[in-house]
Amino acid sequence: MMKKMTGLVLTMTFASFLSACALNSSTDEKANKETTSAVQTADIKQIKDQVIKASNTGNIPAKALERKDTFIAGMSAPGGVFLPYFYDNGWDGNATSPIFSPLVDLDKNGKPIPILAKSWEISDDQLVYTFHLKDDLKFSNGSPLTADDVAFTLTLLHDPAYDGWGDLAAATIKGGKDYKDGKAKTIEGIKVVDPLTIKITTEKVNAKALLLLGGIVLSKDYYGKDYTYAHLDYLKKLYSKPVGSGPYKLEKYIPGQEIRYVANKNYYDGPPKVKNFIYKVTTPETTSQLFEAGETDYDRFPAEPESVEQLKELGFANIKVTTANSYSYAYINNTKPYLKDKAVRQALIYGLDRQKITDVTYKGYGTVANVPVSPVSWAYTEDGINKYKYDVKKAKQLLDEAGWKVGKDGIRAKGETKLKISYLTSRNDDDFIPIAKENYKALGIQFNPEVLDFNTLLTKLNKKDYDLAAVSTPMLSDPDDAVADLASTHPDNSAGYSNPKVDKLLEESVSTTDINERKKIYHELYKELSDDPPVILLNYRKVIHANNARISGLNPDNFTGISSSLPNLSIKE
């Protein structure tokens, strides 16, 4: 499930970019609850997206000024698998992005733009994609990049031994399944027209096909020279020796410390102006320290007032506060008899003070989520949506009408079954716990939180051995990424949710490439999910980026992070 990179992310981190927190003692948990209850949420001001320019570049640390040709960005722990489509660690995705380029990528608004492709055409029936490559493309080792490399990449991802996150099944390339099943030696729908043109025929319209088919291109000469059908282990020896077509190439990887890159002289748009790029491994404890000392030029910081004030005091930091292209929520196990009832799920939302949870967690740098997509998405709307304002009376009414009566012990019951709700999280500092415990007690629900290690939580989630579980989405490239696993037939439907109308709308939402038509479908889908909620939507958060003002051209966005900026950076003298 986790390999697909478009499903859930267990909330084991503070704001998804921070590294995993170790489980602390019960004493720490108690202290956290006491702190949480003391927060005066009524005084919290909601922060808007904003850019704060450096106020005093004279404060730039000498350590940073010494680097005339090197840009250093902080990141959490990479795993060392520098081959697209094959890594499990999401940070390796960040690490590979400077090395490899796709045919098509997304701009800052989430719309497709050409990278290695010069252009593309989609047939009238939306089934045939023809990509035209730019002239004289090369990989970092100097070998030419042609349509044969695109064909090889798409074929490799259909190999039966491939089980990574780059699943092309949704693109339904004609003959792709036959190749995967060993019934064909080639994929019928992939045709190399000439060295700069490839035509791909699909069997079903899918709105995400353009990005799936136009992904990162791997070198056939380098990654395919030892390829034999159904045997991909040979690639492991190349994980640490990448050859790509991005703006940089790997120079050295020092596990636990940094990844060093050098400008790729064969990059199609010319080598980057900044010769050297480094990803330095940082932790929540070292992020601010390294940035302040000039050891890093860029990093992301906890979305809270203290972070912004500290960065402003430095004087040399350009600060960007943006809404993240993700959201947090709690899974509801819809397979449990007492949670199949829509009224009970609605009561769990009405009776939960989500605004307080959001304010306590993000201190103004977050807002309550009411639809399963980020506000930065073109599909976002709250028109016709039930916002489930905190309403204890309404929650109690729904539970009463559903037959759950309060017993002498204060716990609701229906027959012999008491309404006891478990909640799983991998964060001991989860602000959901103290607030939900208090809110649900007022409703007559016994709330039983449990903090587990990441792997145990994941196992329980996959087995549907839970009632509620803390999750969040990764960065969303398409609105479908956030809701696809709610389909009753989806293999990763960890919520166990089933709604025929939702199934129909989910299928329709990706069955056209017309963005305006898709908007209409998503708006209808969000209304249905609001009425029949499969999860408890919690919040959208802000992300705080900061860079040393000596770096010009850095503009991190919600779809590609800093990778799209890398080719255009420069260092001010």
Side-chain angles (χ1 to χ4, degrees):
M1 177 174 61
M2 296 296 289
K3 288 185 179 180
K4 292 189 179 179
M5 309 305 284
T6 55
L8 62 91
V9 173
L10 299 177
T11 53
M12 60 180 295
T13 61
F14 174 74
S16 63
F17 51 81
L18 298 182
S19 62
C21 301
L23 299 182
N24 293 326
S25 66
S26 57
T27 302
D28 292 332
E29 187 173 342
K30 180 180 178 183
N32 178 69
K33 291 179 181 178
E34 291 172 349
T35 302
T36 296
S37 62
V39 174
Q40 300 299 314
T41 58
D43 298 331
I44 291 176
K45 178 183 177 182
Q46 296 300 314
I47 306 300
K48 296 181 179 180
D49 289 4
Q50 57 186 297
V51 174
I52 304 170
K53 292 291 187 181
S55 60
N56 187 356
T57 55
N59 286 352
I60 294 176
K63 188 72 175 178
L65 293 173
E66 291 172 4
R67 296 193 299 272
K68 304 297 184 181
D69 60 358
T70 303
F71 166 60
I72 301 179
M75 76 176 302
S76 291
V81 178
F82 305 133
L83 179 58
Y85 307 117
F86 287 84
Y87 52 77
D88 290 322
N89 181 329
W91 297 111
D92 283 349
N94 292 37
T96 58
S97 62
I99 307 171
F100 295 86
S101 293
L103 293 176
V104 182
D105 210 343
L106 297 174
D107 66 12
K108 63 181 181 179
N109 298 311
K111 303 293 179 63
I113 54 173
I115 302 295
L116 298 179
K118 180 167 57 177
S119 62
W120 60 82
E121 293 113 31
I122 304 175
S123 62
D124 291 341
D125 62 6
Q126 302 178 57
L127 292 175
V128 182
Y129 292 74
T130 303
F131 292 94
H132 302 280
L133 277 62
K134 290 177 178 175
D135 297 331
D136 300 321
L137 293 174
K138 293 181 180 180
F139 289 103
S140 58
N141 63 0
S143 63
L145 189 160
T146 71
D148 281 331
D149 298 294
V150 180
F152 163 73
T153 304
L154 297 175
T155 301
L156 187 72
L157 297 180
H158 280 85
D159 190 276
Y162 178 73
D163 65 349
W165 57 267
D167 188 358
L168 289 182
T172 62
I173 298 176
K174 188 175 182 180
K177 188 175 185 302
D178 284 344
Y179 182 81
K180 194 175 188 71
D181 293 343
K183 297 177 181 179
K185 293 186 177 180
T186 59
I187 299 177
E188 180 183 352
I190 300 176
K191 301 294 183 185
V192 174
V193 179
D194 59 50
L196 298 182
T197 310
I198 186 168
K199 182 177 290 187
I200 305 164
T201 302
T202 65
E203 296 179 326
K204 186 178 180 181
V205 177
N206 189 296
K208 298 167 69 174
L210 177 62
L211 288 178
L212 289 171
L213 302 175
I216 288 170
V217 181
L218 303 180
S219 168
K220 180 179 179 179
D221 285 344
Y222 186 72
Y223 290 106
K225 64 181 178 180
D226 295 325
Y227 173 59
T228 57
Y229 184 77
H231 298 282
L232 298 182
D233 283 348
Y234 76 93
L235 288 170
K236 292 180 180 178
K237 65 183 179 183
L238 302 178
Y239 285 174
S240 61
K241 304 172 185 177
V243 169
S245 56
Y248 287 90
K249 58 183 183 179
L250 181 68
E251 183 178 44
K252 188 175 185 180
Y253 169 50
I254 306 174
Q257 297 183 43
E258 62 187 32
I259 310 169
R260 299 176 187 170
Y261 307 82
V262 64
N264 175 14
K265 65 180 181 180
N266 292 311
Y267 185 54
Y268 77 91
D269 205 24
K273 296 177 183 177
V274 179
K275 180 182 178 182
N276 302 300
F277 170 51
I278 296 173
Y279 263 131
K280 180 181 285 290
V281 175
T282 61
T283 68
E285 294 75 28
T286 64
T287 297
S288 296
Q289 175 187 344
L290 292 172
F291 185 76
E292 183 175 351
E295 296 283 352
T296 58
D297 295 305
Y298 165 84
D299 217 324
R300 288 171 288 187
F301 298 81
E304 55 190 23
E306 292 82 0
S307 295
V308 173
E309 290 307 310
Q310 290 172 6
L311 289 166
K312 286 169 66 176
E313 287 177 5
L314 296 178
F316 64 82
N318 288 326
I319 308 164
K320 185 176 183 180
V321 180
T322 62
T323 300
N325 189 11
S326 59
Y327 62 89
S328 297
Y329 60 109
Y331 261 141
I332 301 175
N333 186 349
N334 289 251
T335 66
K336 293 292 182 77
Y338 42 91
L339 296 173
K340 284 183 178 179
D341 190 338
K342 178 174 73 174
V344 174
R345 282 179 271 127
Q346 289 179 335
L348 290 175
I349 305 174
Y350 274 120
L352 182 66
D353 194 342
R354 296 181 299 146
Q355 184 65 61
K356 185 175 183 180
I357 293 171
T358 301
D359 288 344
V360 166
T361 303
Y362 296 114
K363 302 178 180 65
Y365 287 80
T367 55
V368 172
N370 293 310
V371 291
V373 72
S374 168
V376 306
S377 171
W378 51 261
Y380 177 82
T381 181
E382 290 194 359
D383 292 346
I385 299 300
N386 181 356
K387 297 183 180 180
Y388 286 92
K389 294 288 187 181
Y390 181 48
D391 190 335
V392 177
K393 183 178 179 181
K394 178 69 173 177
K396 288 181 176 180
Q397 178 188 340
L398 285 167
L399 291 171
D400 288 339
E401 293 174 351
W404 294 93
K405 305 303 180 184
V406 179
K408 292 181 180 180
D409 59 357
I411 306 300
R412 289 180 182 270
K414 181 188 283 191
E416 299 298 318
T417 304
K418 289 186 177 294
L419 194 51
K420 299 179 180 180
I421 303 293
S422 69
Y423 171 75
L424 306 182
T425 180
S426 54
R427 286 177 48 196
N428 76 313
D429 62 343
D430 191 337
D431 295 316
F432 184 99
I433 292 175
I435 297 171
K437 196 164 190 175
E438 180 181 349
N439 289 167
Y440 288 154
K441 182 179 180 180
L443 299 180
I445 299 173
Q446 183 173 317
F447 180 73
N448 303 314
E450 187 175 3
V451 179
L452 304 172
D453 66 87
F454 177 83
N455 290 327
T456 302
L457 199 161
L458 184 59
T459 298
K460 282 181 170 288
L461 200 63
N462 288 336
K463 291 182 177 179
K464 296 184 175 61
D465 182 17
Y466 74 98
D467 292 329
L468 305 180
V471 295
S472 65
T473 70
M475 187 183 292
L476 303 170
S477 297
D478 186 274
D480 180 68
D481 295 343
V483 292
D485 63 355
L486 296 177
S488 59
T489 58
H490 198 286
D492 298 336
N493 186 345
S494 297
Y497 182 72
S498 181
N499 180 322
K501 185 175 180 180
V502 167
D503 286 347
K504 183 174 181 291
L505 289 168
L506 286 172
E507 183 175 359
E508 291 175 350
S509 69
V510 293
S511 296
T512 176
T513 58
D514 185 327
I515 195 169
N516 292 319
E517 188 61 30
R518 293 188 75 199
K519 280 183 183 180
K520 294 177 185 177
I521 297 168
Y522 280 116
H523 293 181
E524 189 66 26
L525 173 66
Y526 298 153
K527 289 177 185 178
E528 181 63 22
L529 292 175
S530 178
D531 177 65
D532 183 26
V535 302
I536 300 175
L537 297 172
L538 292 176
N539 38 57
Y540 309 116
R541 63 179 175 83
K542 302 292 184 184
V543 179
I544 298 178
H545 308 262
N547 70 272
N548 190 307
R550 78 188 191 96
I551 304 298
S552 179
L554 187 63
N555 187 27
D557 64 51
N558 285 305
F559 294 93
T560 63
I562 66 171
S563 63
S564 59
S565 296
L566 291 178
N568 306 309
L569 297 184
S570 60
I571 296 177
K572 297 178 181 178
E573 294 294 333

